[in-house]
Amino acid sequence: MKILVTGGAGFIGSHITEALLDRGHEVVVVDSLHPAAHHSKPADLDPRADYRWHSVADRPALADAVRGCDAVCHQAAMVGLGVDFGDVTDYVTENDLGTAALLRVLHDQAFAGRVVLAASMVVYGEGRSRCRAHGLVRPAPRDPGRLALGLFDPQCPRCGGELTSEAVSEDAPVDPRNVYAATKLHQEHLGAAYAIEHPSVTVTALRYHNVYGPRMPRDTPYAGVASIFRSALERGGAPQVFEDGAQMRDFVHVRDVARSNVLALTGPQPVAGPLNVASGHPRSVLSVASALADAFVGPRLAPEITGSWRPGDVRHVFASTERARDRLGFVAEVDFSDGMAEFATTTLRT
């Protein structure tokens, strides 16, 4: 197969590109080398791919890259929570307008293959929550006054009682709570609208949970928490853990994420709709910082719990992985301890 990978020079995209090439596929990469993710062209790119250094918004260039492709893997996006609401135009431009430009080119070329979209667990907002008295409930956005007092866990919106977090499935109501989440949901909606009007095309939205591993960018406001912790250790400082460190997430290795994309792009049958891509084993944010600190080569610097918090963050969200297993045949393989030990000693991208 000939496959276009947008964002194929990025953290996740480069692993997808490499995995596809290893399986004998021809890969065309389109990447703008956005400065939020790249300070320069990465030195670790697989030379077997055909690289096109432009934005997906460059429709003539993108049309040339798409021509003859059997499938499209859309990874190009601006990621992370960002700095503040001032990032809104950048996120909408890169994520929403970029996706719209890609789909317009596919429409113009009467593309008839598979489209795999890099979606995100951020569309869920808070994960699945259960109140002992009222069953499943949807917590309201967290109150800054309570957060300032160190009261981080959301409450039942009906009785104010404690909530128990459960694995969230793809059928859960979406509830984006920051700009990045809103743009990721809109990407899914654009893909779904495209699929309705193009019955020969299957659009798969892979909702990544917290991805980590080799080739993560260094510490930036747009980096994932694992990269931020790893960068702190490299600078000789202790990882700074927000809130009380008890926030629950699912950390999935980038090689597993790449394999999920390969399955969606090349598996025997296309799979439509959203799929969680996760390990199925939730971890606290503090446990990730501790695992990295324990495995890092250098002085043992225990994580520091700061009590700080960010508007737009959610408390707990982790995944049900049953649908990805049953429909896509995807089960994460990289062990958490092994993956974190590798990541603690890998060279981060600049």
Side-chain angles (χ1 to χ4, degrees):
M1 294 175 65
K2 183 178 181 181
I3 300 171
L4 171 68
V5 181
T6 71
F11 165 45
I12 298 174
S14 65
H15 284 274
I16 296 169
T17 295
E18 187 176 88
L20 289 168
L21 291 166
D22 287 345
R23 290 161 175 79
H25 300 290
E26 181 181 355
V27 179
V28 179
V29 168
V30 168
D31 200 302
S32 68
L33 298 176
H34 193 286
H38 302 277
H39 294 296
S40 60
K41 184 188 298 184
D44 52 13
L45 299 177
D46 195 311
R48 295 173 292 174
D50 175 8
Y51 292 94
R52 316 287 181 94
W53 305 114
H54 59 79
S55 166
V56 293
D58 185 340
R59 282 169 48 192
L62 185 63
D64 183 65
V66 167
R67 193 168 292 113
C69 287
D70 304 296
V72 172
C73 185
H74 183 38
Q75 304 294 312
M78 188 171 174
V79 302
L81 188 59
V83 177
D84 56 34
F85 199 83
D87 285 329
V88 62
T89 52
D90 291 333
Y91 275 110
V92 171
T93 298
E94 295 296 327
N95 297 356
D96 299 340
L97 293 182
T99 299
L102 170 64
L103 295 175
R104 170 64 187 276
V105 167
L106 298 183
H107 169 78
D108 290 344
Q109 295 203 7
F111 176 79
R114 300 184 194 184
V115 176
V116 175
L117 172 67
S120 174
M121 58 86 175
V122 295
V123 301
Y124 296 121
E126 288 288 347
R128 180 181 168 103
S129 298
R130 184 179 297 276
C131 171
R132 186 176 301 174
H134 298 107
L136 290 177
V137 296
R138 180 184 294 187
R142 293 190 293 172
D143 176 13
R146 284 179 53 83
L147 294 172
L149 294 172
L151 302 173
F152 301 117
D153 284 309
Q155 299 171 292
C156 175
R158 297 178 61 184
C159 68
E162 293 183 2
L163 298 176
T164 301
S165 294
E166 300 177 354
V168 62
S169 71
E170 293 85 350
D171 296 327
V174 291
D175 187 19
R177 296 194 175 187
N178 56 60
V179 167
Y180 172 59
T183 64
K184 295 307 290 184
L185 181 57
H186 192 211
Q187 285 184 292
E188 287 196 37
H189 286 168
L190 289 170
Y194 179 84
I196 289 171
E197 294 196 25
H198 302 80
S200 63
V201 176
T202 299
V203 177
T204 308
L206 298 179
R207 289 179 176 169
Y208 303 157
H209 285 247
N210 290 69
V211 187
Y212 74 97
R215 302 179 201 160
M216 281 192 93
R218 290 184 187 276
D219 185 8
T220 79
Y222 307 94
V225 67
S227 176
I228 292 171
F229 292 158
R230 173 68 174 75
S231 295
L233 290 164
E234 193 170 49
R235 292 193 304 268
Q240 303 294 295
V241 180
F242 280 13
E243 302 185 13
D244 59 1
Q247 312 93 294
M248 298 298 292
R249 299 289 190 271
D250 188 310
F251 290 83
V252 58
H253 197 277
V254 67
R255 286 195 294 272
D256 281 326
V257 173
R259 188 164 49 81
S260 74
N261 278 269
V262 172
L263 288 169
L265 291 162
T266 67
Q269 297 296 327
V271 180
L275 298 170
N276 287 326
V277 174
S279 72
H281 301 285
R283 311 273 178 176
S284 72
V285 171
L286 178 58
S287 73
V288 173
S290 298
L292 288 172
D294 288 343
F296 187 74
V297 178
R300 173 67 173 91
L301 296 170
E304 296 177 358
I305 297 174
T306 68
S308 302
W309 51 274
R310 298 186 299 177
D313 264 346
V314 298
R315 181 62 169 170
H316 304 299
V317 56
F318 48 92
S320 166
T321 56
E322 292 179 6
R323 182 179 294 185
R325 180 198 64 203
D326 294 343
R327 299 187 185 181
L328 196 62
F330 171 75
V331 177
E333 295 178 350
V334 178
D335 175 76
F336 174 81
S337 297
D338 293 341
M340 285 292 166
E342 175 197 30
F343 183 54
T345 57
T346 194
T347 300
L348 299 179
R349 277 181 167 180
T350 57

